[in-house]
Amino acid sequence: MNDNVDVPVAEKRPLPPRPVLPDLAAARRLGPAEFVEVSWQRLLLSWRAMRDHQLESRPDRPYPPIVPLLEAAYAEPRLRQLHPFTSHHSLNLSSCTEFPYLVRVPAVDPLPDGRFRVRLARSAGVLGWADTAEEAVALVAAHIPPGLGPAVTRAEDVSG
């Protein structure tokens, strides 16, 4: 069989369905803790769906390990209390839920080779490298500023 021949449409598997995402606006009305929880759930669902879509449509292309990173970060209670957001596959965590975000902990870049680069907060400076998502999360957790509590709504509400 010639690998360069397109598979007929009838033989292609359907792509995974889009996930149903929790209501972020409703969560915001319930307060910052609920907003943070729903933000985590939305990120996990969205990135899992994007990964699954690529695995179906482009199995030959490696997908950065953002999903294992999100799962490991969510499993760490001190990080789970912060507002998560991603930019260019990087995981960032904010002390507030409204823009402008207040990022006081390191960010993590999942790399195509499966490793992770941990960067200083709001910097391109590298804090370290990790072979697993759990190691990257542990490095981030080790650099949480003392007294940093759960995310609040606005930056001016952050103490410490």
Side-chain angles (χ1 to χ4, degrees):
M1 179 175 165
N2 185 346
D3 289 333
N4 295 326
V5 175
D6 286 333
V7 175
V9 174
E11 294 180 31
K12 288 186 180 180
R13 288 183 278 176
L15 294 176
R18 289 183 182 213
V20 176
L21 301 177
D23 186 344
L24 204 53
R28 184 172 294 284
R29 290 190 294 274
L30 296 174
E34 186 65 23
F35 185 80
V36 165
E37 176 60 28
V38 168
S39 295
W40 276 106
Q41 295 306 317
R42 289 174 63 95
L43 272 181
L44 285 161
L45 288 167
S46 296
W47 281 106
R48 285 174 182 148
M50 286 186 275
R51 177 203 56 200
D52 294 349
H53 181 276
Q54 181 170 322
L55 290 174
E56 284 293 326
S57 64
R58 299 292 308 268
D60 57 319
R61 289 184 74 188
Y63 195 77
I66 183 82
V67 173
L69 174 60
L70 288 169
E71 292 169 345
Y74 183 75
E76 167 54 62
R78 294 174 296 160
L79 300 184
R80 188 173 55 239
Q81 70 180 352
L82 300 172
H83 173 60
F85 65 99
T86 55
S87 177
H88 299 89
H89 287 94
S90 296
L91 173 61
N92 300 272
L93 300 161
S94 174
S95 296
C96 61
T97 62
E98 289 185 356
F99 192 81
Y101 296 133
L102 180 58
V103 178
R104 298 174 63 196
V105 299
V108 183
D109 304 320
L111 304 173
D113 67 0
R115 296 178 58 229
F116 301 85
R117 176 178 45 227
V118 181
R119 290 181 290 110
L120 297 168
R122 294 283 191 197
S123 169
V126 175
L127 180 61
W129 303 87
D131 291 325
T132 68
E134 292 77 14
E135 290 172 5
V137 165
L139 186 54
V140 172
H143 287 84
I144 295 173
L148 184 65
V152 296
T153 302
R154 291 173 299 281
E156 59 266 17
D157 297 335
V158 176
S159 62

